Each structure stands twice: as C-alpha cells, then as structure tokens.
Amino acid sequence: MLTAIIRNILRFRVLVLLLVLAGALLSVYSIQRSPLDAIPDISDPQIVIYVKWPRSPQLIESDVTAPLIRALVGSSEIQSIRGTTHMGYSFIYVILADSASHDRVQQLVLDKINTIRPQLPSDASVTLGPNASSMGWIYQYALVDRDGTRDLRELRLLNESQIKPAFQTVPGVAELASVGGLEKQYQIKLFPPLLAKAGVSLDRVITAVRAAFQEVGGRTIEVTNREYQLRGVLDNEDIAKLDHLVIGRNGEKSIFLKDVGYMQTGYDLRRSTVDLDGTGEVVGGVVIMEQDQNVLAITRALDQRLTAIRSSLPKGIEIVTTYNRSAWIWTTLKEFFATLLTELIVLILVTALFLGNPRIALGPIAILILSTLFTALPLALSGQTINLFSLAGLCIAIGEIADATIVHVENCAAELSITAI
C-alpha cells in the first residue's frame, strides 16, 4: 500500500506539487483571515436580555422574567433559556443551537419582546445585552489623578462623558463597562410626619419634581425685529432653589418642598471599588470585544484612540493600561516562532553533521514548515481562533515532527547508500 502511494506520488509529481502549493497558499490565507486570541472562546453562543425594575426578586420573576421566558420558548433555533433574578434586575440567557443563527434569533427575540411589552410593567426596562461572550474581556484601564485635585465623582464623570464614548466608537468593541468611582445623584429627603400634616402624597412630590426638571417650551416674541423663544429652564447646579418648588396647596397657601423635606446631592449605592497597586481607589473601565473579532486589531485601534484621548485630558489626569490581552498573544507568537526556528536549526545541523549532506535537510525543513502551515486549515474551517492553546500544542508537535522526519531521512539515506553499493 505504501509502495503504491509513493509510486503514484512520483508518477504524478507535478500534480502533487501543485496540490501542496495550493494548500500552502490556502493556509497562508487562513492565517491572515483567522482571528488571533490568547484563549479559545468555549462559551455557548447566546443572547442576553437585561431587565431592570426596582422591585423585589419575587415580583420581577413573576411579572417580567417568567412572561419573557414563556414568550421565547418554542423556537427550534433556541437550545435552552436560563434566567436569574436579583434585587432590582434580572438576566435572561438565550442559548443558541448554532452560532451562525445569531442575527436571526436576535431579531426573533426583539420581535417577541415587542409583542409582549404591553403585558409587562410600564416602568420596567427590558434591553438586549451587547453581542459579546464571557471571553470578551480584552482590555482594562485605570484613570489616575496624579495631582490629587479631583475626587472619585469627578473622575467617574470624566470617564463617562469623554473616555467611554471615545472607546465605544472603536470598531469591534461591544461594550465598555465603567468601574469604581461615585455616581452623582440628586436625592430628596422627605419627612413622613410633615407630608401627613401638609396632606401631600409621595406620588404628588415625585410628579412635581419630575416636571420641574423638564424644559417647557413657550411661544416666540418679537423684539426689535428679532424673534426670541421662551422656555422654562431649571438650573440643576443650584439645587437650593428647588426648596421653593411648589408641590401642592392647602387652601390658598402654597406648600413648598422645604415644608416637607429638602433636596441634596448624593451618590448611588456602591457594589464594588477599584484599587490600583495598593495606592488607593481609582476609576477605570473594562473593554468588551464583540464575538468572532480579532483581538490584535481591536487593541491596536484602542491604543491609537488612547493616544488621541490623552492629549485632551485635563492636566494631571493619566490613563494607565492595567490589562491588555494582546500582550499574551505577542508573547505566545514570539515563543512559537522561537521554537520553530530552533527546530529548523536542529534539523539542519543533524542532517548536515551526521549525514554529511546539507541538501538532505531540505526535505525535513519543507515537511516542518508545511505541517505548521496546514494546521491553520482545520482551525479556520471549524471557526476556531489561533490561540495560546493551539499554538502550544503545535509547539509540542513540532518536536515530534522533527524527530520523525530525521528518522525517515536517515533511513532513506541509508537505503540509497546500500543500493548504490
């Protein structure tokens, strides 16, 4: 059998060379097109639905999560649905049977949500999560104030208003999650005995405050041949003026906000803090990549965008990169090519020194290079990334390939020498 294969290869050597050349070119093309990553993405293809409603977990489960799950059950392209509910929010994970149907199932999920939306509470927020997986965490940074002139609230505001929008416009970025810092809130402190005495309900206070923050448009007036548009604007920077907001009436007497409570500037509840090298709290961000993207291309674009952002930051503010997955990838590629070069040198030295013919080394070198190239084909066909694990396995295999080719070449050289004698 083996003799027949060798005879046919020698008989149709031109065709075999063309096939090998075509395979090598196709492998090079696959390497250029396949995404690079440090770790393989073994997570299930999924679509995440995020529900936000300031209610108890039991109420969210019964009024929002369960109806949404019932509406989504039944599609052949959905493998399973998992839901988890917490205080004030819940997640619904729609696991797909095939990643190729992601866009189609996403549109199906949107249609189902729009259909069932009138049956859900009006103040419940239902949104789709970004097109990302659990392996999408590729970049992280920290915002540091070297001068110490800004507090965590100001750093958080700077990150949300300037840095986050700039990073989110980078192609391939699914989401940027802000971490650390303080989120500013306008808080109303009310005293129930004063509310009862004034005869004002809590809903009336909430309605009056919401209306105060909405700009009211009026008519236009003409003065000296110029038109001026009238509108009512509340200066939310001076919240002390809100103490005189009218929230109700007791006969002919107006009831102001200051009669039942007051408004103050506060901060949202904190669920976590971010520390940098033990020097204290900072504000940061985590960049999440879209599925099936090239990590190197996205991190390169992030570095370019970071250079532009740094030039516009206030004095004393510095962005420190704390995690960059591309560093793993470059280290892996460096070690892989170093291993490949070492094996090539070993092949040349062994064949040249022990067999006495440098030309014999061309065969093992060609086998080693071609086998390395052809490995990219099954990875590309199966939709896998070229990652640390696949390259590590290839590094181990390179040693076996080198040993096997040396043995075969040595046997062939010995047989040819005996035949010549």
Side-chain angles (χ1 to χ4, degrees):
M1 183 65 180
L2 181 60
T3 304
I5 294 175
I6 295 174
R7 185 182 296 112
N8 289 327
I9 290 175
L10 293 176
R11 182 180 177 184
F12 304 102
R13 61 173 64 91
V14 176
L15 178 60
V16 172
L17 290 175
L18 291 176
L19 291 176
V20 171
L21 180 61
L25 294 177
L26 186 60
S27 299
V28 172
Y29 176 78
S30 300
I31 292 174
Q32 293 176 346
R33 300 290 295 178
S34 298
L36 298 175
D37 205 342
I39 50 180
D41 190 354
I42 58 175
S43 61
D44 296 324
Q46 62 183 5
I47 298 173
V48 182
I49 303 175
Y50 175 61
V51 177
K52 186 177 182 181
W53 194 32
R55 298 295 188 275
S56 65
Q58 293 79 8
L59 194 58
I60 298 177
E61 176 74 24
S62 61
D63 290 6
V64 183
T65 306
L68 284 173
I69 293 177
R70 286 195 296 268
L72 295 172
V73 169
S75 175
S76 60
E77 295 177 318
I78 297 177
Q79 180 177 346
S80 62
I81 302 176
R82 306 166 187 168
T84 173
T85 306
H86 307 270
M87 185 66 182
Y89 64 95
S90 70
F91 292 97
I92 300 174
Y93 301 92
V94 181
I95 311 301
L96 310 184
D98 184 12
S99 59
S101 61
H102 182 276
D103 294 338
R104 187 166 55 255
V105 177
Q106 186 178 37
Q107 185 60 45
L108 172 65
V109 171
L110 284 174
D111 294 340
K112 294 291 186 179
I113 292 176
N114 293 332
T115 302
I116 199 176
R117 192 67 182 86
Q119 305 175 24
L120 302 178
S122 59
D123 56 342
S125 174
V126 182
T127 57
L128 288 184
N131 179 23
S133 68
S134 58
M135 302 296 179
W137 187 327
I138 64 169
Y139 194 88
Q140 185 173 345
Y141 65 89
L143 198 60
V144 182
D145 181 16
R146 298 299 184 186
D147 296 338
T149 58
R150 292 172 175 83
D151 58 18
L152 294 175
R153 178 186 62 82
E154 294 173 310
L155 292 177
R156 177 73 180 228
L157 182 61
L158 177 63
N159 184 65
E160 292 285 340
S161 61
Q162 184 173 343
I163 301 174
K164 181 177 179 178
F167 275 144
Q168 284 185 321
T169 58
V170 175
V173 173
E175 180 66 21
L176 191 146
S178 299
V179 292
L182 299 170
E183 293 186 76
K184 184 178 179 181
Q185 284 185 336
Y186 293 109
Q187 301 174 349
I188 301 176
K189 299 292 184 179
L190 299 175
F191 299 96
L194 296 179
L195 281 174
K197 181 179 179 181
V200 179
S201 65
L202 180 60
D203 290 338
R204 181 69 187 90
V205 176
I206 295 175
T207 301
V209 174
R210 284 179 176 174
F213 278 93
Q214 296 178 356
E215 292 189 5
V216 180
R219 59 170 294 173
T220 59
I221 60 175
E222 182 179 349
V223 179
T224 62
N225 295 327
R226 292 185 179 181
E227 283 191 350
Y228 296 89
Q229 186 173 11
L230 302 179
R231 61 191 181 101
V233 182
L234 177 66
D235 184 11
N236 54 15
E237 295 297 330
D238 188 6
I239 62 173
K241 296 180 179 179
L242 287 175
D243 289 341
H244 301 280
L245 176 66
V246 177
I247 60 174
R249 290 186 176 276
N250 187 2
E252 296 182 357
K253 182 181 178 182
S254 299
I255 301 175
F256 301 99
L257 180 61
K258 65 179 182 178
D259 295 331
V260 296
Y262 62 92
M263 178 171 284
Q264 67 177 13
T265 302
Y267 308 101
D268 195 4
L269 293 176
R270 306 181 65 186
R271 296 185 178 271
S272 62
T273 60
V274 180
D275 182 89
L276 180 63
D277 299 331
T279 58
E281 287 190 48
V282 294
V283 175
V286 177
V287 179
I288 308 298
M289 176 186 69
E290 292 181 353
Q291 297 187 54
D292 301 326
Q293 295 292 324
N294 194 318
V295 178
L296 290 180
I298 297 178
T299 52
R300 190 182 305 114
L302 289 173
D303 289 335
Q304 295 174 357
R305 187 60 55 86
L306 183 60
T307 302
I309 294 174
R310 281 173 174 159
S311 61
S312 61
L313 290 177
K315 184 179 179 181
I317 302 297
E318 181 181 354
I319 298 179
V320 179
T321 301
T322 57
Y323 172 73
N324 190 340
R325 192 186 290 180
S326 64
W328 288 20
I329 299 175
W330 287 119
T331 302
T332 303
L333 292 176
K334 180 181 177 181
E335 293 296 330
F336 170 75
F337 285 113
T339 303
L340 181 60
L341 181 60
T342 302
E343 293 295 337
L344 290 175
I345 295 174
V346 169
L347 279 176
I348 295 173
L349 291 178
V350 169
T351 53
L353 293 178
F354 293 93
L355 299 180
N357 188 352
R359 292 179 56 188
I360 299 179
L362 295 177
I365 291 174
I367 293 174
L368 187 60
I369 294 177
L370 290 175
S371 59
T372 304
L373 284 176
F374 291 161
T375 307
L377 287 177
L379 290 175
L381 293 176
S382 61
Q384 297 296 321
T385 60
I386 300 176
N387 53 70
L388 185 150
F389 293 94
S390 59
L391 292 180
L394 186 55
C395 285
I396 298 174
I398 283 175
E400 301 296 332
I401 295 172
D403 294 340
T405 52
I406 290 175
V407 172
H408 284 292
V409 168
E410 191 274 334
N411 288 334
C412 291
E415 291 291 334
L416 290 174
S417 63
I418 293 174
T419 303
I421 293 175

